[in-house]
């Protein structure tokens, strides 16, 4: 009868939520949060990678004048950069969880300071890994899409602006939504 009272149910809920909170803080996943500095680095790198194709599209080969297509370059580049930042974060977080999970079993008796230093080093290494893998994947997918897939699939001439939109948007979207499964 006492366990059915509202007071005892509240205690159980509090202890359950405390347990969940403690589990999240002490688990590998709870320690793998993306910092503001990492988000800034991911977003800046994503913008550079997504805006880089605009330089090629502005050359005489595609005949897209910057003054005429500045809105498209900015919108597609910013959206692509945001999607790439999300992909960087996903890849880095998954890699970091895997590394910390494999190292935490052997390091249970280390001091807390050493564990924090290990987590920081792991975070930096995983950020570098994510930048490398996602950038390389984006470049390969963009080049393949822009110069092979779109010209081969189109029956007529595809406009340069549509080529830019598809060739930058599709790889960025693919990497953002498949980053966890692919890497």
């Amino acid at each position: 009868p006492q366990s059915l009272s509202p007071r005892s149910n509240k205690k159980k809920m509090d202890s359950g939520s405390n347990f969940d909170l403690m589990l999240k803080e002490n688990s590998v996943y709870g320690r793998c949060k993306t910092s503001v500095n990492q988000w800034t680095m991911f977003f800046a790198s994503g913008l550079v990678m997504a805006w880089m194709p605009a330089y090629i599209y502005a050359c005489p080969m595609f005949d897209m004048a910057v003054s005429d297509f500045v809105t498209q370059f900015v919108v597609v580049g910013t959206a692509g950069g945001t999607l790439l930042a999300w992909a960087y974060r996903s890849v880095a977080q998954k890699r970091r969880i895997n590394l910390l999970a494999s190292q935490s079993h052997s390091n249970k008796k280390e001091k807390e300071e050493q564990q924090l230093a290990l987590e920081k080093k792991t975070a930096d290494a995983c950020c570098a890994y994510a930048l490398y893998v996602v950038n390389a994947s984006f470049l390969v997918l963009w080049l393949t899409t822009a110069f092979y897939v779109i010209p081969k699939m189109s029956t007529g001439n595809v406009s340069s602006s549509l080529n830019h939109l598809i060739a930058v948007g599709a790889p960025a979207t693919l990497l953002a939504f498949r980053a966890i499964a692919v890497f």
Side-chain angles (χ1 to χ4, degrees):
Q2 281 186 344
S3 63
L4 297 177
S5 71
R7 181 180 278 169
S8 63
N9 283 342
K10 185 175 180 184
K11 277 186 177 181
K12 284 183 183 179
M13 286 178 24
D14 287 343
S15 65
S17 62
N18 287 338
F19 176 75
D20 291 340
L21 181 63
M22 187 184 315
L23 182 64
K24 187 175 180 182
E25 287 175 355
N26 291 324
S27 71
V28 173
Y29 185 78
R31 296 183 308 215
C32 294
K33 295 180 181 171
T34 306
S35 70
V36 174
N37 291 339
Q38 289 171 334
W39 269 114
T40 305
M41 180 180 60
F42 290 157
F43 189 66
S45 298
L47 287 178
V48 168
M49 287 303 295
W51 284 345
M52 199 172 19
Y55 180 75
I56 292 177
Y57 282 98
C59 74
M61 183 171 104
F62 286 100
D63 198 29
M64 290 178 69
V66 175
S67 59
D68 295 338
F69 293 97
V70 70
T71 305
Q72 180 178 342
F73 288 149
V74 169
V75 169
V76 171
T78 304
T82 304
L83 291 169
L84 286 174
W86 189 260
Y88 297 138
R89 187 203 64 86
S90 298
V91 170
Q93 187 173 29
K94 182 176 182 191
R95 183 75 169 173
R96 187 173 177 198
I97 287 170
N98 290 341
L99 285 175
L100 287 176
S102 68
Q103 293 172 354
S104 66
H105 297 297
S106 61
N107 297 330
K108 289 209 181 251
K109 294 182 180 179
E110 283 188 16
K111 294 180 183 174
E112 195 169 312
E113 298 162 356
Q114 292 173 339
Q115 187 68 23
L116 290 174
L118 175 68
E119 288 178 12
K120 183 172 176 18
K121 268 187 178 179
T122 304
D124 294 342
C126 291
C127 287
Y129 173 80
L131 289 171
Y132 173 74
V133 169
V134 174
N135 286 345
S137 300
F138 177 76
L139 284 175
V140 168
L141 289 171
W142 170 69
L143 288 170
T144 304
T145 304
F147 297 107
Y148 183 75
V149 174
I150 293 174
K152 294 286 183 188
M153 289 183 65
S154 65
T155 56
N157 288 336
V158 175
S159 70
S160 297
S161 63
L162 183 60
N163 185 323
H164 174 254
L165 180 69
I166 294 170
V168 173
T173 304
L174 177 71
L175 289 171
F177 290 113
R178 294 293 179 187
I180 293 175
V182 174
F183 307 108

